[in-house]
């Protein structure tokens, strides 16, 4: 979403744009992982066609760092926008993690998107309290799971500082569909018998975040324990970007400063003209945030190439981007209409 957004707005400024995509078709998480009940394929593909028809050149099946290097790209292009997303699952150190029947959130959602999954008629346990975990839970139900239990460190009380990070509506709809939430519990051990996964041992979580900065530092009361039966465990505790193809100066800049844009007129030469946008900078954003970041990055590229305006780093607050467009923005009247309601899965 961030990369295609940047490409779209650059073409509207009359720049020739090439998108390099590692998979067979562009769209990222929109087409590959977001469940169909949240975003129907025909809707996403319609928008995709609209964007690509604006004159963007797309080269699919090309992985940067493998098929072509970043240095090679810099020889042929004036500016580069890194919008590789956050595709790799965050690993866990739970005892028994190597057991057969342990899956990870994003790969599971990608399989679920094409109607595949290993949860048919099986008791399924999800570990995580974010939107991806909720997506996994609801997708498991749609793939025929016998039951779905969701375990998270955070509390279901959304007024608490330790609240679940998933959106309130997502949580409510998951519960309506039959997902059982075990809040304030953390995984202790994945239990297997004769090589077959049989369940998950839990320990009580008494606190998740520490201080005003809400530093992640969970505390547990291991005198209070319980076990959930299950044959499948899906770990959805977050995603991380793959920085392996990036030179160290760029990698450090993204990681340390958590910036959306990696560029400044006073920066050392290796970083000039290179922008980072979307989940590569902060994997906690929404699709709408990614689209907005892409638009801002396009404006930054325009500033950089034309050597006008003052480019500052864009932090999480997008309003901190110092940019004045050289043209008048036409604000269109907002059309009112009825919202399309999502389809809820009947509990029975």
């Amino acid at each position: 979403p961030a990369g295609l957004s940047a490409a779209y707005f650059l073409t509207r400024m009359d720049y020739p744009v090439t998108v390099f995509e590692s998979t067979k078709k562009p769209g990222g998480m929109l087409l590959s992982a977001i469940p169909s009940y949240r975003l129907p394929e025909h809707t996403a593909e319609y928008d995709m066609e609209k964007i690509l028809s604006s004159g963007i050149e797309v080269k699919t099946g090309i992985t940067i760092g493998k098929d072509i290097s970043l240095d090679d790209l810099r020889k042929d292009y004036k500016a580069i926008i890194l919008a590789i997303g956050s595709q790799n699952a965050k690993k866990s150190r739970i005892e028994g993690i190597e057991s057969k029947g342990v899956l990870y959130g994003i790969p599971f959602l990608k399989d679920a998107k094409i109607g595949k999954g290993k949860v048919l008629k099986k008791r399924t346990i999800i570990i995580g309290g974010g939107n991806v975990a909720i997506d996994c839970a609801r997708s498991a139900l749609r793939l025929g799971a016998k039951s779905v239990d969701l375990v998270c460190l955070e509390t279901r009380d959304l007024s608490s500082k330790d609240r679940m990070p998933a959106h309130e509506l997502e949580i409510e709809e998951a519960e309506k569909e039959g997902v059982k939430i075990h809040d304030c519990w953390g995984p202790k051990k994945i239990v297997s018998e004769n090589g077959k996964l049989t369940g998950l041992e839990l320990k009580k979580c008494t606190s998740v975040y520490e201080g005003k900065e809400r530093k992640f530092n969970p505390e547990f009361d291991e005198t209070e324990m319980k076990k959930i039966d299950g044959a499948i465990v899906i770990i959805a505790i977050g995603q991380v970007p793959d920085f392996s193809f990036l030179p160290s100066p760029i990698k450090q800049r993204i990681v340390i400063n958590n910036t959306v844009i990696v560029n400044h007129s006073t920066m050392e030469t290796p970083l000039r003209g290179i922008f980072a946008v979307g989940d590569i900078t902060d994997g906690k954003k929404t699709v709408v945030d990614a689209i907005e970041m892409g638009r801002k990055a396009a404006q930054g590229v325009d500033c950089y190439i034309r050597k006008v305006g003052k480019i500052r780093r864009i932090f999480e607050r997008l309003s901190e981007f110092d940019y004045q467009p050289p043209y008048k923005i036409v604000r269109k009247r907002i059309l009112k209409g009825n919202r399309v309601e999502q389809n809820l899965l009947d509990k029975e």
Side-chain angles (χ1 to χ4, degrees):
L4 288 176
S5 175
Y8 172 74
F9 285 106
L10 281 167
T11 57
R12 292 188 65 179
M13 298 179 198
D14 289 333
Y15 286 104
V17 181
T18 304
V19 172
F20 291 88
E21 168 61 47
S22 62
T23 62
K24 293 181 181 179
K25 58 183 179 179
M29 302 284 270
L30 281 175
L31 293 181
S32 66
I34 294 180
S36 301
Y37 67 84
R38 285 181 60 190
L39 181 66
E41 285 83 351
H42 67 272
T43 303
E45 287 171 358
Y46 174 80
D47 283 344
M48 214 64 59
E49 279 297 318
K50 202 172 175 181
I51 291 168
L52 296 176
S53 65
S54 63
I56 300 167
E57 181 185 8
V58 180
K59 295 184 178 182
T60 57
I62 296 178
T63 302
I64 308 303
K66 179 182 175 184
D67 301 307
I68 188 171
S69 72
L70 198 62
D71 286 337
D72 289 335
L73 289 180
R74 299 189 70 181
K75 294 173 185 176
D76 297 326
Y77 297 92
K78 290 283 187 182
I80 296 170
I81 296 175
L82 302 175
I84 61 171
S86 192
Q87 303 275 349
N88 292 356
K90 191 179 286 185
K91 301 299 180 181
S92 174
R93 297 179 181 176
I94 308 168
E95 185 181 346
I97 196 69
E98 303 301 328
S99 302
K100 188 177 180 181
V102 175
L103 309 174
Y104 283 91
I106 295 300
F108 170 74
L109 288 177
K110 288 181 176 181
D111 284 343
K113 187 82 172 182
I114 56 176
K116 293 182 179 181
K118 302 175 181 178
V119 298
L120 183 63
K121 296 182 180 179
K122 294 180 180 178
R123 294 186 182 276
T124 303
I125 302 168
I126 315 293
I127 300 176
N131 287 321
V132 172
I134 295 289
D135 282 346
C136 289
R138 298 178 70 184
S139 295
L141 286 174
R142 284 160 172 76
L143 287 172
K146 187 175 182 180
S147 64
V148 177
D149 293 85
L150 186 143
V151 175
C152 60
L153 301 174
E154 301 86 1
T155 174
R156 174 65 178 81
D157 178 6
L158 302 186
S159 64
S160 168
K161 68 177 180 63
D162 287 342
R163 60 154 286 170
M164 291 175 66
H167 296 150
E168 182 176 0
L169 182 64
E170 296 290 327
I171 299 170
E172 290 174 355
E173 291 184 346
E175 290 177 322
K176 285 178 184 177
E177 292 182 345
V179 175
K180 185 177 180 180
I181 296 177
H182 302 262
D183 60 330
C184 301
W185 288 94
K188 179 177 174 62
K189 179 183 177 181
I190 294 172
V191 182
S192 295
E193 292 178 8
N194 301 321
K196 189 177 179 181
L197 197 152
T198 59
L200 181 67
E201 284 186 5
L202 306 175
K203 53 186 176 182
K204 189 69 176 176
C205 181
T206 56
S207 175
V208 181
Y209 300 105
E210 183 180 72
K212 291 182 180 179
E213 298 80 19
R214 297 186 82 244
K215 180 182 177 183
F216 183 73
N217 186 26
E219 295 181 1
F220 300 94
D221 176 6
E222 298 202 28
T223 62
E224 192 173 350
M225 310 271 285
K226 72 174 183 179
K227 183 191 172 187
I228 302 175
D229 292 331
I232 298 288
V233 170
I234 301 173
I235 299 172
I237 56 174
Q239 296 82 242
V240 292
D242 180 6
F243 289 127
S244 60
F245 71 98
L246 289 175
S248 293
I250 299 175
K251 189 188 307 182
Q252 291 167 2
R253 195 84 193 179
I254 295 173
V255 174
I256 294 171
N257 292 319
N258 193 28
T259 56
V260 175
I261 182 173
V262 183
N263 178 80
H264 195 281
S265 57
T266 59
M267 275 187 189
E268 57 269 35
T269 305
L271 293 179
R272 286 188 183 174
I274 297 179
F275 298 73
V277 62
D279 277 356
I280 188 177
T281 63
D282 185 353
K284 300 176 183 176
K285 298 293 186 181
T286 65
V287 169
V288 176
D289 287 320
I291 292 169
E292 172 68 356
M293 290 178 196
R295 184 175 71 86
K296 293 288 187 181
Q299 293 170 346
V301 168
D302 181 47
C303 273
Y304 171 74
I305 291 177
R306 294 192 301 114
K307 295 181 172 62
V308 297
K310 180 183 177 184
I311 299 179
R312 294 194 302 171
R313 293 174 300 179
I314 309 173
F315 291 93
E316 289 183 25
R317 298 177 186 273
L318 295 170
S319 60
E320 290 184 18
F321 184 66
D322 184 13
Y323 173 79
Q324 292 298 323
Y327 47 83
K328 183 180 178 182
I329 296 177
V330 179
R331 299 193 180 280
K332 294 183 179 180
R333 180 171 61 89
I334 297 173
L335 301 176
K336 293 184 179 180
N338 295 324
R339 177 175 177 170
V340 178
E341 295 299 328
Q342 289 185 12
N343 293 322
L344 285 182
L345 196 64
D346 190 286
K347 266 189 180 182
E348 296 177 0

